[in-house]
Amino acid sequence: FSQQEETRRKSSWLLIGFIGFFAWLGFGGDVALMLSTADATNGYQHRVPVIGIGITLVAAGVAWSAWRNGDKQILWSTRAMELINAVTPEQQRLANVVDEMSIASGLPRPKLWIVPDDDPNAFATGRDPAHASIAVTEGLLTRLDRDELQAVVAHEMAHVARYDTRLMTLVAAMVGAIALLSDGLGRFLWHSGRSGNTVARSMGGVAARRSGGRNAGVAVVLVVVWVLTLLIAPLVSRLVAMAISRKREFLADATAEQYTRNPGALASALAKLDDASAPTHRIGRAATHLCIVDPGDQRVQRLRGALGNLMASHPPMAERIA
């Protein structure tokens, strides 16, 4: 329980870091513009923080859209089909297991979805337990026995119970928004610079030329740092998202044991999932962090140390099984 509390606390700080990143991308650019144009007498003077306000509004809109419709978009992208009435023994077994884990966790029964893919995998999505969905691949239903399937469902129910599905959907939206904003602002500066736009010239060179201005040095430093941040923003945001995902996987594994009281079943299920080296083609990169195992190349997930912590979206499977 102490480890779970630590994981939740660290994840909260990482999310705060995401929000701070947005604030710096927006209002940092405004501050740099204000300082670099402060001494302008006849030219453009930046007064209103339009960049910060614009980015904040875009980020809020993306987050709201992800909170309301993110689960539907993810399920649609995987071509998942809702399981309403079970027609095969495997589907009926899944429905029974979900009923059991719903009782064990004290949560409402989530909607069930089947992803048409032979690779074994599963994920949960939804903004809260009342609107949750659990999706499993056809390969998962055929490869796992009943206890192993119960453990995987318990893992996904743990994500629902801890509101990981909401957190990770919002994080995915933030990653996409940062990439979009970084690309958009980068194109704006590039095209503005080529066309001789006053704002772009202010950010790129006015402060540097006014060596006598008291704000010149600070403005130049801020502009350089802001542009560098703009360039590395997509990479940094992606790394932060994967860090949050890795911490949440350990927490979900531990919570699944509380629901099933059968640690061997989850260990066995994870081992089978690890042995399936083929990628889950139906699940794209946008849902990587939601899955119980990375749907992409499993070789990245087997990396350990600093490189694995940077590149992998999930902890090494050997550590999770241990």
Side-chain angles (χ1 to χ4, degrees), residues 9-321:
R9 184 170 60 253
K10 289 182 178 179
S11 294
S12 298
W13 280 109
L14 287 171
L15 189 59
I16 291 173
F18 251 127
I19 298 173
F21 207 68
F22 270 108
W24 164 245
L25 280 178
F27 294 103
D30 284 314
V31 172
L33 266 176
M34 288 178 183
L35 291 175
S36 62
T37 61
D39 298 328
T41 55
N42 298 321
Y44 171 81
Q45 285 187 319
H46 192 71
R47 300 292 188 186
V48 181
V50 292
I51 299 177
I53 294 173
I55 287 181
T56 300
L57 291 176
V58 170
V62 170
W64 182 85
S65 176
W67 183 73
R68 292 292 301 179
N69 303 309
D71 57 338
K72 300 181 182 66
Q73 295 171 356
I74 291 172
L75 291 166
W76 175 84
S77 69
T78 64
R79 300 183 184 179
M81 299 169 289
E82 186 174 3
L83 177 60
I84 299 176
N85 296 313
V87 296
T88 67
E90 291 81 8
Q91 292 177 356
Q92 186 59 56
R93 183 179 63 178
L94 173 64
N96 294 341
V97 165
V98 170
D99 287 336
E100 295 167 2
M101 290 300 96
S102 178
I103 294 172
S105 62
L107 298 175
R109 188 182 190 274
K111 294 181 179 179
L112 300 181
W113 300 77
I114 306 295
V115 179
D117 198 295
D118 292 333
D119 188 62
N121 216 325
F123 66 88
T125 186
R127 63 179 183 267
D128 54 46
H131 300 86
S133 295
I134 290 179
V136 302
T137 63
E138 293 176 342
L140 187 85
L141 294 180
T142 58
R143 295 198 189 190
L144 302 187
D145 63 30
R146 194 183 194 284
D147 288 345
E148 293 165 346
L149 180 64
Q150 186 185 65
V152 170
V153 170
H155 175 98
E156 300 308 328
M157 293 292 288
H159 281 308
V160 174
R162 307 296 180 187
Y163 285 80
D164 292 345
T165 51
R166 175 193 292 180
L167 173 66
M168 296 312 301
T169 301
L170 291 176
V171 166
M174 289 181 179
V175 171
I178 287 177
L180 180 64
L181 292 171
S182 177
D183 181 68
L185 289 174
R187 290 175 182 271
F188 168 75
L189 293 177
W190 170 256
H191 290 296
S192 297
R194 295 187 65 181
S195 63
N197 184 277
T198 304
V199 175
R201 285 188 289 108
S202 297
M203 295 193 69
V206 171
R209 291 197 300 269
R210 292 178 184 157
S211 57
R214 60 184 178 180
N215 295 324
V218 176
V220 169
V221 172
L222 277 176
V223 169
V224 171
V225 174
W226 188 79
V227 172
L228 288 176
T229 303
L230 195 66
L231 295 175
I232 67 172
L235 175 61
V236 172
S237 62
R238 176 66 183 167
L239 294 177
V240 173
M242 290 191 293
I244 294 178
S245 175
R246 288 192 297 271
K247 295 177 184 299
R248 291 281 163 173
E249 288 306 310
F250 279 128
L251 178 60
D253 287 344
T255 307
E257 302 308 327
Q258 296 173 231
Y259 294 160
T260 64
R261 304 296 180 182
N262 188 358
L266 182 58
S268 177
L270 292 176
K272 287 186 178 181
L273 296 176
D274 190 41
D275 289 339
S277 57
T280 312
H281 296 289
R282 293 292 188 184
I283 301 178
R285 301 302 300 176
T288 293
H289 54 282
L290 294 172
C291 296
I292 188 171
V293 294
D294 193 313
D297 193 337
Q298 294 295 324
R299 291 176 295 180
V300 177
Q301 300 306 309
R302 297 187 178 100
L303 296 175
R304 296 193 181 190
L307 183 60
N309 289 337
L310 283 175
M311 300 297 295
S313 63
H314 291 61
M317 194 63 78
E319 292 184 13
R320 294 176 64 183
I321 293 174

